[in-house]
Amino acid sequence: MLPELKEKLPEIKQEPQVESPFQESWRAMRKNKIALVGMTIIIFFVTIALLADVIAPHGINDQAFENRLESPSAKHWFGTDDFGRDILSRVIYGARISLWVGFFSVLGSIIVGTTLGILAGYFGRWVDTIISRLFDILLAFPSILLAIAIVAVLGPSLQNALIAIAVINIPTFGRLVRSKVLSLKEEEFILAAKSQGMGHSRIIVHHIFPNSIAPIIVQGTLSIGTAIIEAAALGFLGLGAAPPDPEWGMMLADAKTYMQQAPWTMIFPGLAIMLTVLGFNLMGDGLRDALDPRMKS
């Protein structure tokens, strides 16, 4: 009996292992070289933001007027500003502020926008009408002007700039989720759940929301880059972080007077903004390709 079993064993083939959606998406991301470049840029800036206290060569507010507007050198790699402060150290600490504002403003937009979008798309009728008109009102204003108006009402500060950026991005996520829910609620598995007597809250939590996560993740990644630019714009106008915080937009505002005399005071904060936003855009495009079923072969 045993020899017969041994002869049959080699003929038994193992079933191919089924990948989870996360594993499948990660495998697609690894094949996308551009997305990996974006992820590397993001990891770099997140790392320097977390380790700013360790890697910054000088204090962000250490002033040395004898070194005022000094060009890049071995002592000050990025040069110094008009107060003799080390620009490299301020750019490193500025990453902490910009990423903090970008992440939490988008997180707030996702929470509020997703909630309103699900309610509008799922329940429809007067609920959809009220929420959609609210989105239309917010979208009727240019985003940066609306952010300026909100900060002007609340008062200039980094926290109020974060709130303003979160508010202006709510319609983006709300309309995205609403359109997704409108198509989902007509699917057979949703109709089957309703026919079995499942309540609205359970359908939303267990079926609607999980199937809406992919576009939210993609849009959220892209929106962080946009939020960083908006935070820098508010900082440039003096409506964001207060001096002497090393916020990138405010550093550009302080440097505009010395653009010809000391261009490095503007170049390095500008490059930091550009590279960070580029990283989130590249990674967002990669996530879209990995998570969108239409993009998969």
Side-chain angles (χ1 to χ4, degrees), residues 134-148:
L134 175 62
F135 291 159
D136 291 339
I137 292 172
L138 292 175
L139 290 171
F141 298 92
S143 58
I144 189 63
L145 292 182
L146 181 58
I148 292 172

Side-chain angles (χ1 to χ4, degrees), residues 134-198:
L134 175 62
F135 291 159
D136 291 339
I137 292 172
L138 292 175
L139 290 171
F141 298 92
S143 58
I144 189 63
L145 292 182
L146 181 58
I148 292 172
I150 294 173
V151 175
V153 172
L154 298 178
S157 71
L158 188 62
Q159 291 75 15
N160 291 339
L162 187 153
I163 294 172
I165 294 170
V167 170
I168 64 177
N169 285 307
I170 286 174
T172 302
F173 292 95
R175 298 183 75 175
L176 175 68
V177 173
R178 175 184 174 273
S179 63
K180 183 69 175 179
V181 173
L182 286 174
S183 61
L184 280 174
K185 72 176 185 179
E186 301 299 330
E187 296 288 340
E188 293 181 356
F189 67 94
I190 299 295
L191 300 176
K194 290 180 179 179
S195 66
Q196 292 175 0
M198 186 178 290

Side-chain angles (χ1 to χ4, degrees), residues 48-67:
I48 66 172
L50 294 175
L51 301 178
D53 297 328
V54 178
I55 63 178
H58 302 277
I60 56 174
N61 295 318
D62 292 347
Q63 300 181 10
F65 287 97
E66 64 274 12
N67 298 327

Side-chain angles (χ1 to χ4, degrees), residues 25 180 214-215 218 286-297:
S25 300
K180 183 69 175 179
V218 174
L287 284 172
R288 180 196 60 196
D289 297 342
L291 297 175
D292 190 347
R294 294 171 298 181
M295 304 295 292
K296 298 176 182 178
S297 58

